Amino acid sequence: MDGGSSEGHDPEDFPAFPRIPGPRSAPDDLSAAALMPETEPEPETERESEPEHGIPEAESSEAPETSESSDAPESSDTPESSDTPEADDTVLTHKVLTSLLGAWALSACSAEETERVEEHLTECAPCADEALRLRDAVGLLHAERTLDLDPMLRARVLENCLGRRAARVPVPDWAAPYDAEAARLDALLRDIGDAEWHAPVRLRWFEDERTTTRKTTVAGVIGHLMSVDGLVAGALGLDDPLGPSAPADPTGRTESFWQSATAPPTRTIHEPWREQSHTLIRTVSFAGRGVAELSVSYGDYFALPLRDALLDRAFECWVHGADIAEAVAYPYEPPCGAHLHRMIDLAARLLPSALATRRRGGLAGPAKDLVTAGSPGRSLHLEVEGPGGGDWFIALDSPAALGCRERSVAQVALDGVEFCQLVAGHVSPEEAAAGQDGDREAIRDVLYAAAAMSRL
């Protein structure tokens, strides 16, 4: 094999060459034998530097016996050492590295395996492509997130846009809650299909000391909102969607709209309602500061300045938006904390008048300590927790009295959303308060007065 004559020599006198590798193991065989590296032939330079195990060609004919006796032991040891190479555990075969790609994509490999796999990916294009596909597949295994948008997302986008280029005619700060809640409800309505506009919705409110319900549809709820928004439109000199002869109170307007329809409302009610809300926002934005104190009459119920009337309409958009979302199984979050705080503040400011109305009807206890207008009187400490929460002191004996901490005779603690549900008539007074302390009669009167502010 080395170019010389082999006559007269024992086969053991020839140099030892690496053996041909044996059969490979199956791809799924991860035994210790499969992890051993394949034997590679030694470099030619190394074989030349090693001592020869045979006799040079020139000496083979002269001293065959000497070469056989002196070199035989060495030739017998060398093949044995080449047949059992020492395994190198730090080297992994291509098949093993390929089998580790799945575990690597799941981040389940050890640090050493991860290093070997990533080194291999820089050298093997097919494995690199497979690794990308596996990593993309792992991304599909993550838990599903809610489809509902962050309530503050719209505010952040608008703030960023206005920071870059201020609006020539900005929306008044006191109209922002109505603008935001109308936009959220509009987004919900655009997401639902035609059939869902006929989904049944049960409206709830507190009347005659008990919870009252009325069944309608999603389209009927939007018609109700548009009818009551017409009170604000009329105060601004805009066209009333129900005409000039429409009733002046919210309940009468809603009943008139439902009865005048020749057929149940459909999705076609969406655009008129949204266009009306846009018109209201544009009008108050161009009208200037003085318009905030413009009086909006709710018939025999009460009258509110425009700033509070739009806050009331924002509250209605949220409450009825939640009713619709429940009917069509749509995720719907409460308003952001700043807007929720304003809604709670409006309800707290209206509570003394609502309590006085119930007292005149014999539904609340008599006044115990009347004081002059603007003077501190007996109060209930309303503690609202959570986003939008705070502390309010409700005058108990007269709407003209000043509620204060020093003359507090009772305390009620509620969650912010739960308090709004109580005001909307969705929660009974007996179930609302999370914590009560002090005058039980005062607590009962205030909770029932809060529920009595709800209406259709």
Side-chain angles (χ1 to χ4, degrees):
M1 294 178 67
D2 60 356
S5 173
S6 59
E7 295 181 2
H9 294 282
D10 192 282
E12 294 180 353
D13 295 340
F14 291 102
F17 289 91
R19 299 178 59 187
I20 298 175
R24 297 183 179 181
S25 58
D28 57 351
D29 184 7
L30 300 182
S31 60
L35 296 176
M36 293 181 62
E38 298 178 2
T39 306
E40 298 182 0
E42 299 177 359
E44 188 68 25
T45 55
E46 294 183 2
R47 291 205 310 269
E48 293 176 355
S49 61
E50 294 177 355
E52 297 182 358
H53 301 286
I55 303 300
E57 181 181 359
E59 300 178 358
S60 60
S61 60
E62 298 178 0
E65 295 181 0
T66 304
S67 61
E68 182 178 357
S69 60
S70 60
D71 295 339
E74 293 184 9
S75 60
S76 62
D77 292 341
T78 303
E80 183 177 340
S81 62
S82 63
D83 287 346
T84 57
E86 184 179 355
D88 186 4
D89 294 335
T90 62
V91 179
L92 300 179
T93 65
H94 174 84
K95 291 182 178 179
V96 173
L97 292 169
T98 302
S99 68
L100 290 174
L101 289 179
W104 172 84
L106 293 169
S107 301
C109 290
S110 66
E112 183 179 356
E113 289 173 338
T114 301
E115 182 181 358
R116 296 292 183 270
V117 170
E118 292 177 353
E119 288 179 357
H120 179 68
L121 296 181
T122 62
E123 302 172 353
C124 182
C127 287
D129 292 339
E130 180 67 14
L132 286 177
R133 287 193 291 270
L134 290 173
R135 273 287 165 92
D136 291 340
V138 169
L140 300 176
L141 300 177
H142 294 168
E144 294 184 0
R145 294 176 291 181
T146 177
L147 298 178
D148 194 22
L149 296 177
D150 182 354
M152 288 298 295
L153 177 60
R154 184 174 186 271
R156 288 199 299 268
V157 171
L158 289 176
E159 182 181 4
N160 183 57
C161 294
L162 294 175
R164 292 176 178 270
R165 188 178 66 179
R168 185 167 57 87
V169 182
V171 175
D173 182 63
W174 47 269
Y178 175 69
D179 186 24
E181 292 308 310
R184 286 211 305 147
L185 179 54
D186 177 54
L188 184 159
L189 297 176
R190 292 183 185 279
D191 275 356
I192 63 178
D194 291 341
E196 290 175 306
W197 279 83
H198 302 286
V201 179
R202 187 167 294 279
L203 302 180
R204 293 168 289 170
W205 69 97
F206 193 77
E207 186 177 7
D208 297 332
E209 303 300 294
R210 61 186 178 86
T211 300
T212 304
T213 63
R214 178 71 177 271
K215 187 176 179 181
T216 183
T217 63
V218 172
V221 175
I222 301 304
H224 161 62
L225 290 175
M226 186 178 72
S227 300
V228 183
D229 284 351
L231 293 173
V232 181
L236 289 169
L238 303 173
D239 292 337
D240 190 328
L242 302 185
S245 60
D249 64 282
T251 301
R253 292 176 65 84
T254 300
E255 295 289 357
S256 175
F257 172 80
W258 286 344
Q259 293 173 5
S260 63
T262 57
T266 63
R267 188 177 195 133
T268 57
I269 196 67
H270 181 199
E271 288 304 321
W273 166 77
R274 190 54 176 139
E275 180 58 32
Q276 180 179 253
S277 66
H278 282 155
T279 302
L280 291 177
I281 294 297
R282 284 196 300 267
T283 302
V284 299
S285 299
F286 280 95
R289 291 183 181 176
V291 74
E293 303 304 324
L294 183 67
S295 179
V296 178
S297 174
Y298 284 73
D300 296 335
Y301 287 88
F302 48 82
L304 292 174
L306 182 60
R307 62 167 65 245
D308 288 341
L310 278 186
L311 195 55
D312 169 74
R313 303 315 304 145
F315 180 81
E316 290 288 310
C317 276
W318 164 43
V319 170
H320 290 315
D323 291 336
I324 293 173
E326 182 180 359
V328 299
Y330 189 95
Y332 208 71
E333 296 293 330
C336 66
H339 294 172
L340 188 61
H341 180 84
R342 295 185 187 185
M343 297 176 189
I344 295 172
D345 179 70
L346 174 62
R349 288 188 281 115
L350 294 177
L351 265 175
S353 296
L355 181 57
T357 300
R358 286 179 58 82
R359 183 175 289 121
R360 288 193 296 268
L363 300 175
K368 296 182 179 180
D369 186 13
L370 293 175
V371 297
T372 59
S375 300
R378 283 194 326 133
S379 306
L380 178 138
H381 179 195
L382 175 62
E383 181 182 358
V384 180
E385 303 170 342
D391 295 280
W392 286 266
F393 295 91
I394 312 302
L396 295 174
D397 297 321
S398 171
L402 179 66
C404 63
R405 185 183 298 272
E406 291 74 16
R407 299 208 58 188
S408 177
V409 298
Q411 180 177 0
V412 174
L414 298 115
D415 174 74
V417 173
E418 189 173 24
F419 176 73
C420 291
Q421 294 293 327
L422 171 66
V423 174
H426 285 41
V427 175
S428 67
E430 293 83 1
E431 301 173 351
Q436 305 178 10
D437 183 40
D439 190 330
R440 295 295 174 182
E441 183 183 33
I443 293 173
R444 181 187 182 278
D445 287 346
V446 169
L447 292 179
Y448 271 82
M453 289 194 294
S454 64
R455 62 181 187 274
L456 174 61

